[in-house]
Amino acid sequence: MSGKPELKGRAARLARLLPPGGGRGQAARAPFVLLVVLLLGGGLIGLLVLNSALSEGSFQLDDLKQETKSLTDEEQALQRDIDAYSAPRALQRRARELGMVPGGDPAFLAPDGTVKGAPSAAPTGTTPLVLAPEALTAPPGGAATASPTPVGTRPPPAPSATPTAAATPTQSPIPTPTPGR
């Protein structure tokens, strides 16, 4: 007798379909190799996606830095405009354009109704020419449809031979208009 019993019937047919005992080690190795290849491929794809997301974030960061720089520049330009509008000479020039004159000495009323101080009237120079707001904001070159209209009861003064300091305002920087305001 040999070491193996002889199989009969169904067991014999199954034994003929299966390979001899040496092939079992290779069959168990194939799923392991496939698993390792899938893990390595998935890891590489994950690294690629992560790297792409990081580079996209870097581009967005650069765009936001550029936008921040441009907004900072615009803010500084607007602050320069505000400073130019609020400068004393610019305020004085604008007040003259609107027909304002410097006031005299003030007087104050006390709570009991008495007047404290000696009031004086504003200097009574010539009545300045007050222009309509449309004429003040019209672009140079006569693009405005309305002509300047004097407001007041007295006609504008005749130009004198010697210009005065009030007639020729000092030049101040012309601020740029603020968009959207």
Side-chain angles (χ1 to χ4, degrees), residues 19-37:
R24 287 186 96 195
Q26 287 183 356
R29 206 175 293 160
F32 175 73
V33 170
L34 182 63
L35 178 68
V36 169
V37 168

Side-chain angles (χ1 to χ4, degrees), residues 45-150:
I45 290 174
L47 284 174
L48 179 65
V49 168
L50 181 64
N51 191 15
S52 297
L54 287 175
S55 65
E56 181 181 347
S58 174
F59 286 127
Q60 288 177 349
L61 182 64
D62 287 343
D63 291 344
L64 290 174
K65 282 182 180 179
Q66 282 183 334
E67 185 178 351
T68 301
K69 183 181 179 297
S70 68
L71 289 175
T72 302
D73 291 345
E74 183 179 350
E75 178 190 14
Q76 289 174 354
L78 291 173
Q79 188 62 45
R80 280 192 306 269
D81 290 348
I82 289 171
D83 293 341
Y85 278 123
S86 62
R89 288 185 188 229
L91 289 174
Q92 182 182 16
R93 179 184 52 81
R94 183 75 176 127
R96 281 192 188 133
E97 287 175 0
L98 293 174
M100 297 178 163
V101 294
D105 293 330
F108 300 97
L109 291 176
D112 61 356
T114 59
V115 178
K116 294 185 179 184
S120 65
T124 57
T126 58
T127 303
L129 175 67
V130 179
L131 301 176
E134 297 85 23
L136 293 175
T137 59
T145 57
S147 62
T149 57

